[in-house]
Structure formats: structure tokens, C-alpha cells
Amino acid sequence: MANKFDYIVIGAGPGGTEAALTIIHQGQSVALIEADKWGGTCLFQGCIPTKALLHASKDPLVGDLQGLFAKIFGQINAISTNLRANLTRWGVTLIQGVATFVDANRISVNREIYEAKHLIFAGGSSPISLNIPGIDFPNIYNSETIYSLTEVPSRLAIIGGGYIGFEWANIFSNFGSQVTIYEALPQVLSAFDDDIRRRLLTSWRTRSVRIETSSRVKAFHQDGPAVIVETDQMETYDAVLIAIGRRPSDAVVPPGVVKIGDANGAPLLAHKASAEGKAIFTGDFSQVIIPAAMFTDPEIATVGASEQSLKQQARSYKTCKLPYRANSKAYVTGVEEGFIKLMTDEDGHYLLGAAIIGYEASDIINVLTLAIQEKIPIAKLKRLVFPHPTIGEVIAQALDLI
């Protein structure tokens, strides 16, 4: 029957598209269902547009904000079109519409029933909101609706001091906004290494960003087109961005349906979703080490155990740190802000974790991710020859300190 497949994948984000391609490469039939965003939140509202904006914000804004958004989303639509073409070329059946589960083997889309031996749910995640008065006022946005903003706000409040909030603070402070970050916890970026977090905050002292910790928002009030943020005091802003995180899809999924990506829980990262999609047959995803990156200026990247987690486990370890300024290329090209920090076992035989703050941190972390995942001895890592002069040599330089 035309509506029968070996697999049906729901959701065409990074996890769903990788799963569909993995399945088709194994010679099995697969249908991929997507409501409207072929490429998912990552392509249309998260990873890609924010990185484009971070890059664009390094230069003065030419024209208006909506013009910049239009340019970026023109590129995004082209990527999405190419993605669909690639999936079709490989033989994946694409179905556009909202999927509703009938049971563990059947779904309904556009009033038509589709059946498969196996269903995979890659329904993604959604922004977490606040259950407080005034949350529905105009000029209050989340990380998905912020692209409807028509102009750069002179005063912007960001609720949430995690990586989403900091990336948007980086963007808008570059564009000239006076930004205030409100964080309910005693410190921002609580998921990051303490040394890394402190270094970022030090480097941001000259930015037009104010940080209010232990500051819980109680309500929003409207003042004409402006929004008043109520904490223990009242402050007025032109716009508010709610950036307190995301939660996995709350869709009711029948038993027996496999979840991958954000729908499968933390960490809610696109590359984790892709890795789960690729491992749909092998089932060896649990052994994969997932790095994390924040694309602020300077960048931050981490992988493996943090120093805080090692202390909490009462585990013996050693650390070493190397400043970027010790790297010749970083120094002469003016990107010497930052450092690399390595955590090893107490004998210095294996890497347990790594944290980097500095230029190209998100690229440099890849070598260390492989080293931790494959348990490569440090003695063997020291034999790696890096091209000179490169920023990546900070790894070799740091390893020499162990």
C-alpha cells in the first residue's frame, strides 16, 4: 500500500532528518512528516538565525532590523529547500502536515492514515514561558517570536541568564541596545565552569549589559508601547525577551514509539539530536560525549566533566590552564582574550573534561571531544602535530603542561 512504510519519522529537525537518511541508507522505506519547518527550530528560529545575527552584529546595522531578518531568512529558506531536495533525492517520502497518533504503528495526517512497522517521534521542544501577570502584553517576545521585532530596542530586558539569553544580549548590545539580564538564580550561566563564567563576565564589563541576579520577575505592566518589568523594583523597557529555556514536546506519544532529539530530553542541542538520529539502528548513542557551545564574544565551549562535577563526586583530578595570549596566532591577530582549561585524572593519564573561552572555541573543542569519548591516553594526544600557526595549537600547548 502507498501509505505503508518500514518507518515513519515525525519532525524534520536535525534529529528527524538524520534518522530518515540513516533509515533510507539501510535500504528501508521511510516517510518524514513535518508541519511547516523543514529543518526544524534549529534552522528557522534557533541555531542558524542567531549565528547569522551574531555575525552580522559585528558590523554597524545597515538599513532596518526587518531588512536584516529578511536577508537571513532568505538564506534559511534556501537551506530548507535544499534539505527537502536532498531528502527526496535519496528516496525519503515527504509529507507536510500535522501528525496525530492513532496508535504505536499508525498516524493521521491531513485526514489520511499512514502505517509503519516503527514510528519515531522527533517533535522537538518549545520555549518555556512565565506564568505571571502581563506575559501576553505586546513587545514581550520569546526566542521564536523575537524575529517579529521591527526595530532595535533602545532598552531591552532579557529574562534568563543562560546561553540563549547571553547570545541575544550579545546581539542586541552590539546593535546598540541597553540590555538588562534578569536571572532568578544567584548567578548567571550556572551550567558553565566557574572559571569560564567569571572570565566572560569580566570581559563583558565594557558592554552595555547590566546583570541582575537573584532577581525574580513578578509581573509585567504596560506603559503605552513600553513594558514595565516588576521585580523588587520597577523598570521600563522598549521590549522584553523571555529566554528561560526550552522544554521537550508535551505531545502524548504511545508506548513503543521511539523518541529522539529534544523530544527525548536533555541536553536540548541540535548536534545531540543529529547523533541520536544517526544511531537509530546501532543504539550506541549512550556512549557518545556531547560538547556544548555558547557563541558569544568570546565563545565558550565545554565537553566532559566540569571541575564542579568532579568536586561533587569527590573524585581526584588535576587541572591545567593556558591563556590564549600564550598562542602566537591569537596574540598577533588580537584574539588573545580567554584560556583553555583541562581536567585530567590524578595521574594525568586521561582527559576527563575540558572548557575553553576564546576565539574559535566551538571548533577547537572537537579534538578534545574525540579524546574524551575514545579515552585516548594523554601521552598519545601529545604526539599529535598541529599546523602552525593556528589557534588550535592551544590544545598542544595545554597538554604540554600536564
Side-chain angles (χ1 to χ4, degrees), residues 171-218:
I171 291 166
F172 280 108
S173 64
N174 280 356
F175 282 145
S177 298
Q178 295 290 324
V179 179
T180 301
I181 296 175
Y182 291 94
E183 172 55 56
L185 297 175
Q187 64 184 27
V188 294
L189 301 174
S190 56
F192 287 92
D193 178 274
D194 284 341
D195 289 339
I196 294 285
R197 177 178 52 80
R198 284 192 289 265
R199 183 59 169 266
L200 180 73
L201 295 180
T202 298
S203 71
W204 273 36
R205 284 178 180 171
T206 58
R207 282 186 172 272
S208 57
V209 177
R210 177 167 60 97
I211 298 172
E212 297 288 340
T213 54
S214 300
S215 186
R216 188 173 297 278
V217 177
K218 300 174 182 177

Side-chain angles (χ1 to χ4, degrees), residues 212 223 241 309:
E212 297 288 340
D223 181 15
L241 171 62
S309 68

Side-chain angles (χ1 to χ4, degrees), residues 4-9 15-32 83-94 120 277-278 280-281:
K4 283 194 173 184
F5 303 88
D6 294 317
Y7 284 82
I8 292 176
V9 180
T17 54
E18 286 291 354
L21 288 170
T22 299
I23 291 163
I24 208 77
H25 292 337
Q26 291 295 315
Q28 303 199 51
S29 62
V30 59
L32 178 61
L83 172 65
R84 292 189 66 173
N86 186 51
L87 290 163
T88 301
R89 183 167 58 250
W90 281 108
V92 177
T93 299
L94 307 184
I120 299 171
K278 291 177 180 178
I280 201 69
F281 287 116

Side-chain angles (χ1 to χ4, degrees), residues 50 53-54 57 61 65 68-69 141-142 146-158 164-180 204 207-209 239-241:
T50 54
L53 284 167
L54 282 161
S57 72
L61 181 61
L65 188 61
L68 177 58
F69 286 163
Y141 305 90
N142 61 35
I146 190 69
Y147 302 101
S148 63
L149 196 63
T150 57
E151 60 184 22
V152 175
S154 295
R155 302 159 299 176
L156 174 67
I158 296 179
I164 297 174
F166 267 78
E167 287 189 357
W168 281 106
N170 200 141
I171 291 166
F172 280 108
S173 64
N174 280 356
F175 282 145
S177 298
Q178 295 290 324
V179 179
T180 301
W204 273 36
R207 282 186 172 272
S208 57
V209 177
V240 175
L241 171 62

Side-chain angles (χ1 to χ4, degrees), residues 105-167:
N105 298 100
R106 294 180 299 162
I107 58 164
S108 173
V109 184
N110 303 326
R111 299 182 181 179
E112 195 162 355
I113 301 298
Y114 296 87
E115 184 176 343
K117 299 173 186 175
H118 310 280
L119 297 186
I120 299 171
F121 183 68
S125 59
S126 59
I128 299 172
S129 187
L130 289 170
N131 185 22
I132 60 174
I135 190 65
D136 295 324
F137 285 155
N139 294 327
I140 297 179
Y141 305 90
N142 61 35
S143 58
E144 295 186 355
T145 62
I146 190 69
Y147 302 101
S148 63
L149 196 63
T150 57
E151 60 184 22
V152 175
S154 295
R155 302 159 299 176
L156 174 67
I158 296 179
I159 317 303
Y163 79 92
I164 297 174
F166 267 78
E167 287 189 357

Side-chain angles (χ1 to χ4, degrees), residues 43-44 48-49 52 66-82:
L43 178 58
F44 280 90
I48 303 305
Q66 279 297 306
L68 177 58
F69 286 163
K71 176 184 176 182
I72 290 171
F73 281 97
Q75 296 170 324
I76 286 170
N77 286 327
I79 295 171
S80 181
T81 298
N82 289 338

